[in-house]
Amino acid sequence: MRLELGKIFIKDIQFASESKIENNVLYVNKEELIKAIWDDEAIVSVDLDIAKPGESVRITPVKDVIEPRVKVEGRGGIFPGILSKVDTVGEGKTIALKGIAVVTTGKIVGFQEGIIDMTGPGAEYTPFSKLNNLVIIAEPAEGIKQHEHEKAVRYIGFKAAKYIGELAKDLKPEETKVYETKPLLEQIAQYPDLPKVGYVYMLQTQGLLHDTYVYGVDAKQIVPTLLYPTEIMDGAIVSGNCVSACDKNPTYVHLNNGVIEELYEKHGKEINFLGVIITNENVYLADKERSSNWTAKFTKYLGLDAAIVSQEGFGNPDTDLIMNCKKIENEGVKTVIVTDEYAGQNGASQSLADADPKADAVVTGGNANQLITLPKLDKVIGHIDVVNVIAGGNHDSLQADGSIVLEIQAITGATNETGFGYLSAKTY
């Protein structure tokens, strides 16, 4: 598959009488957008706000972060199986609006939603503080169930991202990058002397509110399978989960997966990047065994020399991660795992809930238990009281002076396990 990914760089967002993109500014007709995205009785009100880098603004609880994109040539549309037909995507031409995101918030769904600070120390831990964010505040109707609440907000976010993306459909990208992965035998033959490398992409699927969707299918229902990397760039995988904010993969991260982009950078130069194996994270032991067996089988079937495995979440999924690692290693495939750590606030605890001697090449996104004090900011979009109950906070997190003391676990993207963040560590 060959995907031409065009980029238009948005430098500002403003509300206006007409929705359009002009001179790198996104203008949004507030009433028109709300009408286009809100038709669900599970949501009682929808409002929009804007948060820009450097402003004294805090967004919480953050549910999802989504980059607007539009398909301009080729099969399918953005978010296939959800907003578009279930056509296979990943080829043709797509335009991405860089420098902006749709962020969804409102009353809390679960207890593992996050914080985005646009300034101050918290902003240094989240990559989303560097974006111009169009924030959707969607409040639930009384008495709806949590999974209904999550789905309604999820769809509102996707619809908004699609609406904004389509404003760029007839614009000329400022920059275009081509990504291509050929059918397997052709791809192997193209670079026969380079090591064959694949990416094992673990998706959070551990139950209600721990969902990831592949072409609209809840990934709990899949067995590991193969995808072209460009399918993921084209919206084949989206987030629907409420796991800890620091290491969940918002939809923005799926669209901009750093492991995939880096492997493409080295493709044809240092490695031969053959593709992506997606696999789920399971609750029961038998399911973990099945999925890790299939994952290891695919690495052997592809004839890989090496594989990178990234995790989403922590605790129970650590077992899936280590199972994948050791079984892939047992197939003679060199393995690197990408994770984060829950090593306690003093950093002295065991970092992962599971371990194995074969997991000897590890990239870390940082220690999610690290404490931080966030100063009071001038404006809150959402509900500030949730910081006392979200993962990483406690009943004393919100201080009398308006500051917040909690673990960076509560900051969206702080320890992301695809490397989509700023933290890591080295062993000397």
Side-chain angles (χ1 to χ4, degrees):
M1 283 189 173
R2 184 179 189 274
L3 178 67
E4 295 183 27
L5 185 60
K7 300 177 181 179
I8 295 174
F9 298 91
I10 303 298
K11 298 176 181 177
D12 192 18
I13 303 176
Q14 298 178 22
F15 290 125
S17 59
E18 179 186 359
S19 293
K20 61 182 179 178
I21 297 169
E22 193 172 85
N23 298 322
N24 299 98
V25 177
L26 169 64
Y27 296 95
V28 177
N29 181 312
K30 195 175 191 180
E31 292 73 23
E32 183 182 274
L33 177 54
I34 291 173
K35 183 178 179 180
I37 64 178
W38 179 27
D39 60 359
D40 194 323
E41 293 181 356
I43 300 299
V44 73
S45 69
V46 172
D47 198 5
L48 304 178
D49 209 332
I50 294 170
K52 303 179 183 181
E55 291 184 337
S56 185
V57 176
R58 173 168 292 137
I59 312 168
T60 192
V62 172
K63 293 170 173 45
D64 200 6
V65 184
I66 311 159
E67 183 177 73
R69 294 190 173 191
V70 61
K71 193 79 183 162
V72 294
E73 187 177 298
R75 289 184 300 175
I78 202 67
F79 308 133
I82 296 176
L83 298 186
S84 304
K85 292 181 179 179
V86 193
D87 285 323
T88 302
V89 295
E91 57 187 356
K93 296 180 181 179
T94 295
I95 294 175
L97 298 183
K98 311 304 290 186
I100 65 168
V102 171
V103 177
T104 49
T105 187
K107 289 184 180 177
I108 197 165
V109 174
F111 298 99
Q112 293 178 296
E113 296 163 43
I115 298 170
I116 296 174
D117 279 0
M118 302 304 293
T119 192
E124 298 304 312
Y125 286 87
T126 173
F128 305 116
S129 65
K130 311 301 186 291
L131 304 176
N132 290 289
N133 293 311
L134 180 66
V135 186
I136 302 174
I137 307 101
E139 301 293 7
E142 193 71 31
I144 71 162
K145 296 185 182 299
Q146 286 175 292
H147 67 279
E148 295 170 334
H149 179 189
E150 184 279 322
K151 181 179 179 180
V153 175
R154 176 169 19 110
Y155 271 73
I156 282 174
F158 294 157
K159 288 177 183 177
K162 182 180 180 182
Y163 172 98
I164 294 166
E166 288 180 346
L167 298 176
K169 192 166 187 176
D170 297 321
L171 300 181
K172 183 179 179 180
E174 299 166 64
E175 177 185 306
T176 298
K177 196 161 187 178
V178 177
Y179 301 90
E180 184 173 18
T181 300
K182 298 178 181 295
L184 183 61
L185 295 181
E186 291 181 44
Q187 189 59 72
I188 293 172
Q190 185 178 22
Y191 303 111
D193 298 325
L194 294 178
K196 299 181 291 296
V197 178
Y199 175 34
V200 176
Y201 196 12
M202 293 173 56
L203 308 177
Q204 177 56 248
T205 56
Q206 288 187 289
L208 204 60
L209 300 182
H210 291 65
D211 307 307
T212 303
Y213 296 89
V214 181
Y215 283 99
V217 175
D218 190 332
K220 285 192 293 294
Q221 302 173 22
I222 71 168
V223 290
T225 191
L226 302 175
L227 289 183
Y228 281 94
T230 54
E231 292 179 80
I232 299 167
M233 292 177 160
D234 232 5
I237 299 177
V238 300
S239 175
N241 69 60
C242 299
V243 298
S244 287
C246 64
D247 56 15
K248 74 174 286 184
N249 291 330
T251 300
Y252 192 104
V253 170
H254 290 302
L255 292 167
N256 294 278
N257 184 293
V259 176
I260 292 174
E261 291 186 354
E262 186 67 18
L263 288 172
Y264 266 128
E265 283 295 317
K266 298 182 181 299
H267 180 57
K269 304 167 190 172
E270 300 175 33
I271 64 169
N272 191 350
F273 180 27
L274 296 190
V276 180
I277 302 165
I278 59 168
T279 183
N280 44 21
E281 297 173 354
N282 299 284
V283 176
Y284 298 110
L285 181 59
D287 296 325
K288 292 177 185 291
E289 294 283 8
R290 179 189 302 109
S291 288
S292 55
N293 287 344
W294 276 59
T295 299
K297 175 186 70 175
F298 275 128
T299 64
K300 183 177 182 180
Y301 177 71
L302 295 172
L304 298 183
D305 298 303
I308 296 174
V309 185
S310 72
Q311 180 181 205
E312 183 176 11
F314 71 99
N316 189 294
D318 293 350
T319 301
D320 302 78
L321 176 69
I322 297 302
M323 278 187 175
N324 283 323
C325 177
K326 66 184 181 182
K327 290 179 182 181
I328 294 169
E329 286 274 348
N330 287 342
E331 295 293 351
V333 179
K334 296 182 183 297
T335 306
V336 175
I337 62 175
V338 189
T339 181
D340 63 351
E341 303 175 55
Y342 284 76
Q345 293 179 2
N346 62 359
S349 299
Q350 179 173 310
S351 294
L352 297 177
D354 199 357
D356 189 273
K358 288 185 168 61
D360 59 359
V362 182
V363 178
T364 175
N367 178 21
N369 295 135
Q370 178 184 330
L371 272 178
I372 188 171
T373 299
L374 305 178
K376 180 181 179 180
L377 298 185
D378 295 340
K379 179 179 178 181
V380 173
I381 304 176
H383 300 272
I384 191 63
D385 55 303
V386 302
V387 301
N388 283 347
V389 296
I390 57 177
N394 60 68
H395 64 281
D396 293 323
S397 285
L398 187 57
Q399 307 293 294
D401 63 359
S403 64
I404 304 168
V405 179
L406 39 57
E407 296 178 350
I408 62 171
Q409 182 181 172
I411 298 176
T412 302
T415 63
N416 184 268
E417 294 163 290
T418 68
F420 199 84
Y422 304 115
L423 298 180
S424 191
K426 291 183 178 180
T427 301
Y428 292 95

